[in-house]
Amino acid sequence: MPDQVLDALRGLAGEAAKICVQCSSEFKESDVGDKSVCRFHTFGPEYGRVGAKHGCCGASEPCVTAKHRKSHHCEYPYEAFFPRANQILAYSDTMKEWASVSDTDLSSAKSGSSTAPDVSAFVGKLLRWTSRGPLVNDDYLIVKVGRVTAASKHFFHTFSAEDLGVASTRADEKSLIFRNEHDNGAQYEQAEWIVEDGQVCGVRIECKAHSSPGPVSKEVRFSTEPLEVVPWDDDHLFRTVKDERFSELLPTDDGVYGKSLPEPIVKGAAVPDTRKPRKDFARGGRGALAQSVMIQGVEKFDGGSSIAANQEGSLYDGADQFAGCVSIVNTTEKPVLIVKATVEWRFVGEQEWNAVDKVDADGTTQVPLRCDPMEATEFTFNVFVRGKGDKPRSGSWFNRSWVARQQPVRFRVTVEDVSGSTSFAVLEYVQPRYKSDLSASSKE
């Protein structure tokens, strides 16, 4: 039958065209002959080299043929897969780690200065498709096994709620998500579903290197609507099922590597142990507004904080960018008109408040601001702060503050009405840990 007739019949049947993830061409499931063939490269040119040839074949024309695919997969390598994976895996603001395992074969020599583990696995939640991009609207579970490169066997997939439902229906037949092994299981990495009452409720990740007596294995459990991790207890997101890695090189309770070491000598500034921000500061002000208006922080940022640092990642001419939010509660039966609002800062232990370097008008609520009787009105601010004596510097500090690297910073938010009366509240920013105890610890 001629292709034109087939196309006409498909149109009458209402079959919608899809986009192939391998070659970016339109196709239909019922395509036959040449239209059903997908042509693509295994992996692209060397990154950053203008005019570089494809690493898989050295030619510009596609070198691999296969069937069109509507969804990303790991059955074989294709060029479009790796930029997508790298946009997620190479950044810290695109995903939230729930648990990971890794091990290194100590019996094999590493090439160059490579410190990458030989086997690994990861499970977490997708936050963004690209760094600094918008947050995803739907929930996606991330499962990764092995290093995601064209030269190595690996698994990387984002599971939607629908995908998890499909996995539940097949769990009795296939609970293993992926396994990659060498030398009859002497070295391997894998991930598998945890199933209870016919429903997928978690993931178990496990790996073992050649030189280790046994594997390291962890379990993560989650709810699916919405997709959220279910902590193992108050202190741990996951459960360590077993850890039989080469024990002589692991820390022990009575010392490091089983030996007592001398006390460390510290030179220069050190990041102190962190604590939760204080929330019990006394409110104040002058005149009637101090009695009629109550200001309190709104916990809208990660970790239940009312203030966050450098959410866009980069320092602005060496200054930290702080975003905060307070609620102005009018406790009277008359409206209040706020005509002025100021934000000041100081380090813990100082007495004098300092003016901020700059106020970002786009991220700050504009005044005058009307506060209706017996209602709360949000006031957001976005300000830049540079520490005393700090030289202008550049760099990326995602969700962390340069000025607060050694001690917490406090902010005073003051509002003023038409009569000159004021009311203020104090917020505190404490530098978060580099890696949360919830993801770094394990259960005995």
Side-chain angles (χ1 to χ4, degrees):
M1 184 179 294
D3 288 345
Q4 294 86 345
V5 177
L6 284 174
D7 289 340
L9 291 174
R10 294 188 197 107
L12 292 174
E15 182 182 358
K18 302 177 177 63
I19 300 296
C20 176
V21 297
Q22 299 171 157
C23 67
S24 301
S25 300
E26 283 193 357
F27 76 99
K28 295 180 179 180
E29 299 285 359
S30 57
D31 283 339
V32 295
D34 190 60
K35 287 187 176 182
S36 66
V37 178
C38 173
R39 296 175 174 86
F40 55 90
H41 285 284
T42 303
F43 56 96
E46 185 177 343
Y47 178 77
R49 289 188 57 191
V50 178
K53 297 180 179 180
H54 283 79
C56 51
C57 63
S60 58
E61 292 298 320
C63 58
V64 179
T65 59
K67 290 189 64 176
H68 288 297
R69 303 292 288 268
K70 64 180 180 179
S71 301
H72 284 286
H73 62 89
C74 299
E75 294 178 18
Y76 47 80
Y78 55 97
E79 180 182 355
F81 177 85
F82 299 101
R84 172 182 178 269
N86 187 65
Q87 287 176 342
I88 298 172
L89 298 175
Y91 301 93
S92 60
D93 65 331
T94 54
M95 56 187 177
K96 183 176 182 180
E97 177 181 323
W98 287 350
S100 62
V101 293
S102 62
D103 201 1
T104 300
D105 181 14
L106 302 176
S107 62
S108 64
K110 293 286 185 179
S111 60
S113 58
S114 174
T115 58
D118 293 290
V119 286
S120 62
F122 168 97
V123 60
K125 182 179 180 180
L126 180 71
L127 302 180
R128 296 175 174 86
W129 291 109
T130 59
S131 178
R132 306 191 191 185
L135 295 172
V136 295
N137 294 322
D138 300 318
D139 290 333
Y140 290 91
L141 177 77
I142 296 178
V143 177
K144 180 181 79 73
V145 181
R147 297 180 63 190
V148 181
T149 68
S152 60
K153 192 175 180 181
H154 59 267
F155 180 87
F156 170 71
H157 194 71
T158 53
F159 292 91
S160 64
E162 181 181 354
D163 294 332
L164 294 176
V166 172
S168 295
T169 62
R170 300 174 178 174
D172 292 337
E173 303 173 3
K174 184 181 179 182
S175 62
L176 183 67
I177 302 173
F178 178 80
R179 177 182 172 93
N180 180 29
E181 67 174 45
H182 303 276
D183 297 339
N184 297 321
Q187 178 166 299
Y188 66 90
E189 51 201 346
Q190 70 176 43
E192 58 183 322
W193 297 117
I194 299 174
V195 183
E196 289 184 358
D197 299 327
Q199 297 293 319
V200 168
C201 62
V203 174
R204 181 183 296 107
I205 51 178
E206 183 172 301
C207 67
K208 177 189 177 298
H210 275 288
S211 59
S212 293
V216 53
S217 175
K218 294 179 182 179
E219 288 184 354
V220 174
R221 293 177 179 263
F222 51 78
S223 59
T224 56
E225 295 182 1
L227 179 65
E228 292 295 342
V229 65
V230 178
W232 184 253
D233 57 27
D234 292 339
D235 298 318
H236 308 95
L237 288 182
F238 56 79
R239 179 173 78 98
T240 299
V241 180
K242 52 187 170 182
D243 190 346
E244 300 175 0
R245 290 174 290 181
F246 197 69
S247 57
E248 286 79 2
L249 297 180
L250 295 178
T252 58
D253 293 337
D254 57 351
V256 180
Y257 307 148
K259 299 179 181 180
S260 297
L261 298 179
E263 289 296 320
I265 300 175
V266 179
K267 292 185 178 181
V271 178
D273 192 20
T274 190
R275 60 172 174 80
K276 293 183 178 180
R278 276 186 56 187
K279 301 179 181 179
D280 58 349
F281 296 105
R283 304 179 183 91
R286 67 172 185 271
L289 196 65
Q291 304 299 322
S292 60
V293 165
M294 180 177 65
I295 305 177
Q296 57 190 16
V298 178
E299 299 176 357
K300 64 183 302 181
F301 301 103
D302 289 345
S305 176
S306 302
I307 192 163
N310 296 323
Q311 291 184 298
E312 296 182 1
S314 299
L315 300 178
Y316 172 83
D317 191 26
D320 288 304
Q321 183 177 11
F322 288 94
C325 184
V326 297
S327 177
I328 304 173
V329 183
N330 182 2
T331 62
T332 70
E333 297 182 355
K334 296 181 179 180
V336 172
L337 183 63
I338 303 298
V339 297
K340 184 179 180 182
T342 58
V343 180
E344 302 163 291
W345 75 279
R346 65 174 174 84
F347 288 117
V348 171
E350 292 183 342
Q351 299 300 318
E352 298 295 326
W353 291 94
N354 310 299
V356 298
D357 279 28
K358 178 185 175 182
V359 177
D360 181 7
D362 292 337
T364 301
T365 304
Q366 300 298 303
V367 292
L369 179 66
R370 176 188 170 93
C371 301
D372 292 326
M374 307 301 292
E375 290 190 9
T377 303
E378 280 195 2
F379 175 80
T380 60
F381 61 89
N382 206 324
V383 297
F384 295 87
V385 170
R386 181 183 290 111
K388 302 173 184 178
D390 278 350
K391 297 180 180 180
R393 57 182 287 118
S394 61
S396 296
W397 277 64
F398 281 103
N399 300 316
R400 301 184 63 76
S401 163
W402 173 257
V403 72
R405 65 192 184 278
Q406 296 183 26
Q407 57 184 318
V409 176
R410 291 175 182 169
F411 291 84
R412 183 170 68 177
V413 182
T414 305
V415 297
E416 183 177 330
D417 66 7
V418 292
S419 69
S421 297
T422 63
S423 179
F424 70 80
V426 177
L427 308 178
E428 186 177 65
Y429 174 84
V430 177
Q431 189 84 297
R433 292 182 183 272
Y434 280 102
K435 190 173 184 180
S436 171
D437 272 349
L438 288 178
S439 60
S441 305
S442 59
K443 180 179 174 65
E444 293 296 327

